Amino acid sequence: MTTYAIELPSIVGLPILGTDALFPVRRVYCIGRNYASHAIEMGHNPDREPPFFFQKNANNLDSSGIFPYPSHSNDVHYEAEVAVMLKKGGANIELDKALDHVFGYAVSLDMTRRDLQGEQKKMGRPWEIGKAFERSAPVGLIHSVENIGHFEDTTIKLKVNGNLKQKGNLNQMIWKVPEMISYLSEYFELGAGDVILSGTPSGVGPIVRGDVMEVSATGLGSLRVIVT
Ligand code: MN
């Protein structure tokens, strides 16, 4: 039997609607600028250029409904996104087979230290410090494909303290879910337990301690997150 020299790190398990079984997280990929409206508000060209991805850590995903304001930032932004959970992986996945790899979907937030991300961008450095910090990806209950199927036409919204800040539709994505899966699988070997955050529509902005964020999407319910 294999033994380990230190205590085993825990596996991150996310709750699934309708079952006590958890979804184990392996890797987290996030796409940048996947809605034209958000690309424009960030000062970029909204044309369909090749997609780009960054990663968060598995244990940055958090379903507690609490977001502790992170250190070393005075400009932390919400980005409402739909997360895609994979049940099987592979390399070079064909576009028309890509959705067969999806276990389910959930609402999520790609929380961002925008000031630190901006400094890194200016210096041409990687973004981890702005993106991959503790509890930086609140995630709602996973809705399995078995129960809800797939969808392209789904409204996603984000409210802060009851005020609507973001509203978009998954049909506005520059790169659709099957395309993201197929593209990623050309560069990485995807695996069961991988999660893809599918990008945010326009309207991103800052939060402060005490704010309540609520992200919702048609068919995926909602997630309330308190900033502490
Ligand atoms: Mn994002």
Side-chain angles (χ1 to χ4, degrees):
M1 195 182 109
T2 308
T3 60
Y4 295 91
I6 60 165
E7 194 178 327
L8 277 186
S10 53
I11 289 175
V12 176
L14 299 174
I16 302 165
L17 184 68
T19 171
D20 289 334
L22 297 175
F23 179 85
V25 181
R26 194 182 81 118
R27 294 181 187 168
V28 184
Y29 296 97
C30 310
I31 190 168
R33 295 174 212 143
N34 201 26
Y35 289 76
S37 59
H38 176 60
I40 291 167
E41 77 177 347
M42 298 302 287
H44 297 282
N45 183 339
D47 292 347
R48 190 171 152 113
E49 294 170 346
F52 71 92
F53 294 85
F54 58 91
Q55 285 180 262
K56 296 204 185 210
N57 302 293
N59 65 0
N60 295 155
L61 297 190
D62 179 57
S63 54
S64 70
I66 293 170
F67 175 71
Y69 201 96
S71 64
H72 293 288
S73 178
N74 294 306
D75 191 26
V76 176
H77 281 203
Y78 51 78
E79 295 187 359
E81 313 209 356
V82 165
V84 183
M85 282 72 186
L86 301 189
K87 66 181 176 186
K88 61 177 180 177
N92 302 313
I93 297 166
E94 286 173 36
L95 199 53
D96 63 349
K97 302 275 195 309
L99 286 181
D100 299 345
H101 295 248
V102 177
F103 173 80
Y105 302 91
V107 292
S108 66
L109 290 166
D110 167 16
M111 298 305 296
T112 303
R113 286 167 163 148
R114 192 72 75 202
D115 43 3
L116 300 192
Q117 183 198 26
E119 290 168 15
Q120 299 306 305
K121 276 185 188 174
K122 256 186 241 157
M123 292 188 285
R125 289 180 180 170
W127 292 3
E128 277 85 351
I129 205 167
K131 288 288 194 180
F133 55 91
E134 272 27 86
R135 296 165 84 169
S136 58
V139 56
L141 275 178
I142 297 170
H143 292 57
S144 66
V145 167
E146 197 175 48
N147 289 329
I148 65 160
H150 300 285
F151 45 80
E152 268 202 12
D153 185 353
T154 293
T155 302
I156 179 168
K157 288 182 192 170
L158 181 115
K159 292 179 180 176
V160 178
N161 304 328
N163 302 314
L164 185 66
K165 299 289 189 182
Q166 289 191 275
K167 186 178 177 190
N169 191 301
L170 267 58
N171 64 19
Q172 298 162 336
M173 284 181 178
I174 296 170
W175 295 88
K176 310 290 189 218
V177 172
E179 292 173 317
M180 284 188 267
I181 292 170
S182 181
Y183 187 92
L184 274 169
S185 76
E186 291 178 21
Y187 292 86
F188 303 98
E189 184 160 347
L190 297 178
D194 287 355
V195 175
I196 302 169
L197 267 59
S198 59
T200 197
S202 60
V204 301
I207 41 86
V208 296
R209 287 191 177 87
D211 281 347
V212 178
M213 303 180 284
E214 184 177 4
V215 53
S216 61
T218 318
L220 295 179
S222 65
L223 172 70
R224 260 170 71 90
V225 181
I226 299 167
V227 183
T228 61

